[in-house]
Amino acid sequence: MDYGHPLEFGTFITPTNNSPQAPVALARLSEQLGYDLVTFQDHPYQPRFLDTWTLMTWVAAQTERIRIAPNVLNIPMRPPAVLARAAASLDLLSNGRFDLALGAGGFWDAMEAMGAQRLTPAESVDAFDEAFDVIRGIWAAGERTPLKVDGEHYRLNGAKRGPAPAHDLPIWVGALKPRMLRLIGRKADGWLPSLAYLKPGDLRAGMAVIDESAKQAGRDPREIRRLLNVWGQFGPPSGGFLQGPSAQWIEQLLPLALEDGVSTFIVGSDDPDVLQQFAAEVAPALREAVDRERAGAAVASAPTRSATVLAQRRDGIAYDAIPAALRFGAIEPGDPGYAAVRSTYLRAGAPGLVLQVRTAAEVAAAIAYARSQPVALAIRSGGHGISGRSTNDGGIVIDLSKMTGIEVLDESTRRVRIEPGARWSDVAAALAPHGWALSSGDYGGVGVGGLATAGGIGWLVREHGLTIDHLRAVDLVLADGSQVHASEQENPDLFWGVRGAGSNFGVVTAFEFEVDEVGDVGFGQFVFDATDTAALLERWGAAVEAAPRDTTSFLLTGRRQPGRQPMAQMFSVVDSHDPETVVDRLQPLAEVAPLLDQTAQILPYARIMNVTPSQHNGQGDPVSRSGLLEHITPEFAAAAARLLESGAVYFFQIRSVGGAVADVHPAATAYPNRSANFSVTAFGSNRDLVNRHWDDLYGHFSGLYINFETDLRPERLTDAYPPETMRRLRELKSRVDPDNVFRDNFNIAPPVLAGV
Ligand SMILES: Cc1cc2nc3c(=O)[nH]c(=O)nc-3n(C[C@H](O)[C@H](O)[C@H](O)COP(=O)(O)OP(=O)(O)OC[C@H]3O[C@@H](n4cnc5c(N)ncnc54)[C@H](O)[C@@H]3O)c2cc1C
């Protein structure tokens, strides 16, 4: 039976250690020759071999495209819970290029000598069965309960889950006995026997056992890929199996594909000539012959996912119509990687499909596909959206988090090209060796895409301005799929709109920035007694306005705790590595209220931005408000103190802006409110309550910063964009996105749809 899987080809390389780089070189050759997969046997008791995990990791680091798998991994010597983490880790490190193949081991004397516990064949099957539960249980990172497995051979008593692999990582099994074949039918994703150990008829009989067992378990047998290790030599025609010219190989392998259902042929050879000839002459011809026969016989394609995963698909999405170029990065509910991508940093989500894209062409394909589906669309880069709803319920997410390139274009003009999925910590780390920095925000985990399309109020904002003020060009994919470059010279109106309202016009696939020369900076962290909140705010505001531009200061306070002294934290950056200057700048700021604690240090900007990213597990929907403020007047300070007393907000932050931000003309970008000296943000839990108290402050503001605002009422648009800015934005929107495809973040609907 032909199960309809696309044909794949792999190599099977001896992990010999007498010339340790030899297997690595053969793996790289396999990649160059176009093989899909490189595999290695696993005999951890064999002193002549490299350890297979170590070798696979090394190979993953030395290759870029080819997938890597053990052939097959010795389960009795590899505790499955640890193995699961190792497999997921290698899959994550290699960008989804690891596949797992397991075996029950066989050389018991050697295994026992290494400490393995000898098992009977029946016990081996049971142990294997439990190993499946352990491995898949560990990978189920989205499950909230710890993993318990109460098996005969493996007992896990509340193990922590995760990490989830980067892709729907298959588990294949190399085994021959009927009990193991039945287990494959029940649980595995593939069967990987070696032809050398099969007698005539064994292959077909084995397939039948697996199919029958799969059906009894309620599975579609086509979920199980059939792989085969083969060995041979090229030479003159002969009667031997795979002992002749390429044409003979093709003739002998074709029935195995069409009649027995083998879809992955793995060539066992360490001879580069054999690998080369197979790749050049056998693989393409075999693939062509199989495609031809399948077209004639109308063989249905194999399902790409298990029945359990398919059952979790959401209505309204034509999953089978996902373009081939996007399938590798398509993550569905039920896929092991789903838990890591469903939600964002702040927001819970349950999208029906996340499309991880890597190139502008893939972005274009993803937009075209998403537009053909009657569900919501969200665009995600770093997943730290506050206003930006970069997840949804049942819709599609175009996820750019794998587009993380950072490249210096021109050292002399400090031009740097940055892709949207990079995090600001990566950017700071990449620029530091050049003595450069780009003012972005206060948190390195935030993504480039969402911040650099809206503003960017960061640690160096007073001296160097907003992040968007450093933009010199962008590459975008528009709603119609066209890929455009925008700068002051090319598509200048689009370039204007991207700097402040960028999420409305397309998907930015690359930003070109001119960055600044920044060395070590002074960083002060102070804790104040905030009992007299209004006085603290007023004095701090005055001190900030009086400070030179090299000083940027953020003040943070929150909900008052009954019986506890109210406190406020101040974080200030001074763009100077001179201790005297740093102290000179921090001193007036330190005097604005009774000081409870302080630290000040001189350190690289990249150290302040350094964070270790973690999986996003946002819950609920954030409630935040934003306002831009000219001065902290006594009236504003009193209103802010009342807000804090009310208990409506748990996070209240005022950032200094002003300085270089105000040097840019309000009409030069779509970030028009440039006269403010402060950006005020509050987060609460109850939207009505927050709004009610915020109204008390509202009259003091001269606009808002969209990236800190979650209120969806239409007045917020006019707060962010005064009439002339709004007119230009709507006009631009009606030209580049008339169908309002991009609307997940501060949506400026085209005039026709907005009814204006
Ligand atoms: C912990 C935290 C700290 C923050 N600190 C700061 C700060 O110091 N300064 C500051 O200015 N902001 C700050 N922000 C706000 C931040 O700028 C925005 O939330 C921003 O949208 C996050 O970008 P992202 O790529 O991580 O978000 P995502 O959630 O990936 O995207 C948010 C929205 O941006 C749009 N978008 C994303 N990528 C693209 C793209 N490639 N092309 C077009 N549109 C796109 C989409 O509409 C999306 O909904 C902070 C946010 C958080 C959660």
Side-chain angles (χ1 to χ4, degrees):
M1 170 176 171
D2 181 356
Y3 301 90
H5 296 104
L7 226 51
E8 293 192 336
F9 299 96
T11 57
F12 189 10
I13 290 164
T14 316
T16 172
N17 60 18
N18 59 8
S19 174
Q21 291 302 325
V24 182
L26 286 173
R28 293 176 62 153
L29 177 70
S30 306
E31 176 166 88
Q32 282 160 23
L33 294 173
Y35 283 93
D36 301 290
L37 188 66
V38 56
T39 70
F40 304 96
Q41 56 189 295
D42 180 37
H43 296 284
Y45 39 79
Q46 171 57 271
R48 286 185 297 109
F49 287 172
L50 293 162
D51 171 67
T52 302
W53 266 122
T54 314
L55 174 62
M56 290 190 300
T57 307
W58 194 270
V59 165
Q62 303 266 327
T63 51
E64 287 175 359
R65 180 199 53 80
I66 200 163
R67 300 198 326 267
I68 298 143
N71 193 348
V72 286
L73 212 66
N74 185 313
I75 271 283
M77 299 202 66
R78 310 261 183 200
V82 178
L83 183 158
R85 290 223 163 93
S89 301
L90 187 47
D91 199 44
L92 290 165
L93 287 167
S94 65
N95 276 330
R97 291 193 290 127
F98 182 70
D99 294 338
L100 189 56
L102 305 177
F107 300 89
W108 279 107
D109 289 346
M111 283 156 55
E112 261 190 322
M114 287 282 287
Q117 211 183 339
R118 190 182 283 264
L119 299 176
T120 65
E123 285 169 340
S124 274
V125 179
D126 291 344
F128 227 89
D129 201 331
E130 291 171 15
F132 265 94
D133 298 342
V134 171
I135 295 169
R136 293 211 172 112
I138 291 283
W139 288 348
E143 294 287 333
R144 300 217 178 273
T145 51
L147 178 62
K148 289 196 175 185
V149 174
D150 190 17
E152 281 290 313
H153 302 273
Y154 302 114
R155 289 208 175 91
L156 269 65
N157 192 12
K160 288 205 166 74
R161 313 255 187 181
H167 81 299
D168 191 5
L169 205 162
I171 306 180
W172 307 322
V173 175
L176 299 174
K177 301 265 170 51
R179 264 189 301 221
M180 284 296 277
L181 296 179
R182 285 198 287 277
L183 174 63
I184 293 171
R186 287 200 308 281
K187 290 196 165 169
D189 303 301
W191 181 32
L192 171 50
S194 293
L195 199 59
Y197 300 113
L198 295 170
K199 296 191 299 300
D202 278 359
L203 193 60
R204 203 163 296 180
M207 301 282 184
V209 175
I210 292 171
D211 292 355
E212 190 48 39
S213 164
K215 283 185 209 147
Q216 278 173 13
R219 299 180 72 194
D220 180 341
R222 296 175 309 151
E223 286 175 25
I224 303 161
R225 181 176 271 273
R226 321 296 159 123
L227 307 94
L228 189 65
N229 292 322
V230 295
W231 286 264
Q233 280 295 335
F234 291 100
S238 79
F241 192 77
L242 305 186
Q243 301 291 328
S246 297
Q248 187 182 319
W249 281 56
I250 297 161
E251 196 181 306
Q252 290 173 332
L253 293 177
L254 191 58
L256 291 173
L258 295 175
E259 291 160 28
D260 294 303
V262 175
S263 55
T264 304
F265 290 100
I266 300 178
V267 190
S269 178
D270 295 329
D271 181 345
D273 292 340
V274 171
L275 300 184
Q276 203 280 331
Q277 186 166 347
F278 185 91
E281 296 177 6
V282 179
L286 198 59
R287 194 174 263 141
E288 210 178 288
V290 167
D291 286 349
R292 205 171 38 244
E293 291 292 328
R294 281 181 177 170
V299 174
S301 298
T304 50
R305 285 176 163 79
S306 70
T308 333
V309 173
L310 295 177
Q312 296 179 56
R313 287 182 160 179
R314 301 292 295 265
D315 290 342
I317 298 179
Y319 291 89
D320 294 338
I322 297 172
L326 301 177
R327 290 220 184 107
F328 180 73
I331 304 174
E332 303 180 8
D335 283 350
Y338 183 72
V341 299
R342 60 182 297 173
S343 300
T344 61
Y345 184 77
L346 289 174
R347 208 168 251 113
L353 178 65
V354 176
L355 294 171
Q356 291 196 323
V357 287
R358 287 163 200 270
T359 61
E362 286 184 13
V363 172
I367 294 173
Y369 170 74
R371 291 193 66 171
S372 69
Q373 306 299 304
V375 295
L377 170 65
I379 308 299
R380 182 187 301 166
S381 288
H384 277 67
I386 299 174
S387 61
R389 287 155 172 80
S390 53
T391 188
N392 52 40
D393 184 7
I396 294 173
V397 175
I398 298 179
D399 178 348
L400 301 123
S401 61
K402 303 288 178 202
M403 296 181 71
T404 56
I406 302 171
E407 184 194 351
V408 174
L409 297 177
D410 185 351
E411 191 87 28
S412 63
T413 56
R414 300 189 302 278
R415 290 285 179 107
V416 183
R417 181 182 184 275
I418 305 178
E419 291 187 338
R423 307 301 179 95
W424 289 109
S425 54
D426 306 328
V427 176
L431 300 185
H434 302 269
W436 300 341
L438 173 55
S439 184
S440 49
D442 66 348
Y443 184 63
V446 170
V448 169
L451 183 139
T453 43
I457 300 176
W459 290 126
L460 303 167
V461 67
R462 291 185 76 233
E463 181 167 27
H464 293 298
L466 300 170
T467 310
I468 54 169
D469 299 338
H470 294 259
L471 257 181
R472 297 296 171 259
V474 285
D475 290 328
L476 279 123
V477 182
L478 302 182
D480 65 3
S482 54
Q483 297 177 31
V484 298
H485 187 74
S487 64
E488 291 290 5
Q489 292 74 36
E490 227 174 306
N491 297 306
D493 48 351
L494 192 53
F495 186 52
W496 169 83
V498 164
R499 289 172 295 163
S503 59
N504 277 281
F505 303 117
V507 177
V508 179
T509 53
F511 298 85
E512 196 178 313
F513 293 102
E514 183 178 323
V515 302
D516 291 306
E517 275 172 351
V518 177
D520 285 359
V521 296
F523 185 48
Q525 300 178 70
F526 297 79
V527 181
F528 295 119
D529 174 353
T531 307
D532 190 348
T533 305
L536 161 63
L537 294 181
E538 239 188 287
R539 283 195 212 121
W540 175 78
V544 166
E545 287 199 46
R549 283 183 175 197
D550 59 10
T551 304
T552 295
S553 187
F554 295 179
L555 192 75
L556 172 66
T557 185
R559 184 173 283 143
R560 304 300 182 229
Q561 306 289 343
R564 303 251 306 261
Q565 180 182 32
M567 287 188 287
Q569 284 172 283
M570 180 183 73
F571 305 92
S572 304
V573 169
V574 181
D575 184 9
S576 170
H577 60 271
D578 169 35
E580 268 182 45
T581 309
V582 173
V583 171
D584 186 52
R585 302 291 193 264
L586 295 179
Q587 193 61 42
L589 292 165
E591 289 168 2
V592 300
L595 203 53
L596 301 177
D597 197 7
Q598 59 169 318
T599 60
Q601 49 191 321
I602 292 176
L603 72 184
Y605 171 79
R607 279 257 303 281
I608 308 179
M609 296 300 283
N610 188 24
V611 289
T612 310
S614 57
Q615 179 173 312
H616 290 168
N617 259 329
Q619 301 290 316
D621 205 14
V623 176
S624 72
R625 297 299 307 268
S626 160
L628 292 169
L629 183 71
E630 306 273 327
H631 307 288
I632 300 186
T633 59
E635 294 74 22
F636 173 81
R642 282 196 297 278
L643 173 75
L644 287 161
E645 284 305 322
S646 75
V649 301
Y650 59 79
F651 175 103
F652 183 80
Q653 190 186 44
I654 310 186
R655 298 170 170 228
S656 50
V657 202
V661 179
D663 293 346
V664 178
H665 192 278
T669 67
Y671 183 101
N673 298 309
R674 288 185 173 267
S675 59
N677 281 303
F678 301 96
S679 159
V680 184
T681 312
F683 278 79
S685 313
N686 180 317
R687 190 170 293 282
D688 291 340
L689 193 64
V690 171
N691 286 345
R692 204 159 355 110
H693 288 280
W694 193 256
D695 285 346
D696 198 19
L697 270 64
Y698 184 72
H700 298 278
F701 296 130
S702 57
L704 60 77
Y705 174 38
I706 63 167
N707 267 5
F708 288 148
E709 176 66 66
T710 58
D711 186 13
L712 287 169
R713 286 175 291 179
E715 305 91 278
R716 297 298 81 82
L717 275 178
T718 42
D719 291 343
Y721 306 113
E724 177 52 17
T725 314
M726 182 57 96
R727 187 198 62 73
R728 284 179 73 181
L729 289 172
R730 283 210 200 282
E731 191 275 325
L732 181 61
K733 180 82 173 176
S734 63
R735 270 190 289 129
V736 300
D737 185 17
D739 298 326
N740 206 16
V741 172
F742 303 112
R743 56 173 184 271
D744 72 345
N745 185 14
F746 253 79
N747 184 217
I748 297 150
V752 178
L753 297 177
V756 293

